[in-house]
Amino acid sequence: MQVPLWFALLVVGYLGVKLIRPPAWLVAVLLLGGFLLADSVLAPAINGLIK
């Protein structure tokens, strides 16, 4: 069974918010921070650490 990555992330994110109930500001900061880091000069360094 193959599931698209965006769908898997959506399900995991939904379940995480429903079960753990983090504050809304924390979710927003993590999403915005990840978006900004992905488009920054640090992206190649982060990519190198992940792989």
Side-chain angles (χ1 to χ4, degrees):
M1 180 172 145
Q2 293 182 344
V3 178
L5 179 61
W6 65 267
F7 184 72
L9 290 175
L10 184 69
V11 169
V12 169
Y14 176 77
L15 289 175
V17 168
K18 285 299 246 188
L19 296 175
I20 300 173
R21 298 198 184 272
W25 64 266
L26 181 61
V27 174
V29 165
L30 289 175
L31 288 173
L32 185 61
F35 178 75
L36 292 175
L37 277 177
D39 198 30
S40 71
V41 295
L42 297 175
I46 296 169
N47 192 24
L49 289 174
I50 292 173
K51 291 186 179 192

